[in-house]
């Protein structure tokens, strides 16, 4: 599990010093996650935040089922993967790429280097079925932990949709994603972590 300690003099949101990583195979960065490794062709090994500052979280919707998304990320021909996938039915979380590594998820090299990608199972035009309480709540807890680890502010400037990434050709998480609700949940979870 990744732990981070900001030392005196580190500016807020800077690359954190004192980051300790558990680099054992199958180790996860979020305690709630199950390790389901992506193909190494779908990410680049890095040492973030030492070599790239992590200051954004990108919210995605898979446009597929959970198992299909994980399968795609394991396929070297897919050429994309996010760090996490959240299942709609129960909020189960799979981690497919370590946070230290650069996942190919945002469609923009600079944003890949500076962000953590969180996919949500489902389809953007069927929110009643896929944007469940369990998914929102589990994702909010996950994102609050990521924000805490990297000193990322919990706001819409730093937690963004895939469609908001410069040069994005995707529309997810779509017009039905409840940003107000989601940010409230993330902020509440973040407050619990920092209390």
């Amino acid at each position: 599990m990744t732990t981070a300690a900001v030392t005196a003099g580190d500016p807020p949101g800077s690359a954190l010093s004192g980051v300790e990583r558990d680099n054992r195979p199958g180790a996860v960065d979020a305690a709630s996650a199950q390790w389901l490794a992506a193909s190494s062709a779908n990410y680049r090994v890095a040492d973030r935040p030492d070599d790239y500052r992590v200051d954004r979280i990108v919210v995605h919707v898979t446009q597929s089922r959970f198992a299909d998304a994980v399968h795609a990320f394991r396929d070297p021909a897919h050429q994309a993967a996010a760090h996490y996938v959240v299942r709609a039915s129960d909020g189960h979380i799979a981690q497919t790429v370590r946070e230290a590594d650069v996942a190919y998820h945002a469609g923009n090299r600079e944003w890949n280097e500076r962000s953590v990608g969180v996919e949500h199972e489902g389809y953007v035009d069927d929110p009643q079925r896929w944007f469940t309480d369990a998914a929102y709540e589990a994702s909010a807890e996950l994102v609050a932990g990521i924000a805490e680890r990297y000193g990322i502010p919990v706001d819409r400037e730093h937690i963004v949709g895939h469609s908001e990434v410069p040069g994005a050709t995707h529309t997810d998480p779509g017009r039905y994603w409840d940003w107000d609700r989601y940010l409230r949940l993330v902020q509440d979870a973040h407050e619990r972590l920092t209390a």
Side-chain angles (χ1 to χ4, degrees), residues 41-42 68-69 71-81 104:
N42 297 331
D68 295 333
H71 179 76
F73 293 171
R74 290 180 160 199
D75 179 357
H78 188 65
Q79 300 183 331
Y104 305 149

Side-chain angles (χ1 to χ4, degrees), residues 5 30 84:
Y84 296 97

Side-chain angles (χ1 to χ4, degrees), residues 22 28 57 81 93 98 104 106:
D22 182 348
V28 293
I57 298 165
I93 298 167
R98 295 300 302 271
Y104 305 149

Side-chain angles (χ1 to χ4, degrees), residues 82-106:
H83 295 89
Y84 296 97
V85 184
V86 180
R87 190 164 55 206
S89 62
D90 59 2
H92 178 76
I93 298 167
Q95 182 169 1
T96 65
V97 177
R98 295 300 302 271
E99 290 174 10
D101 295 329
V102 176
Y104 305 149
H105 67 96

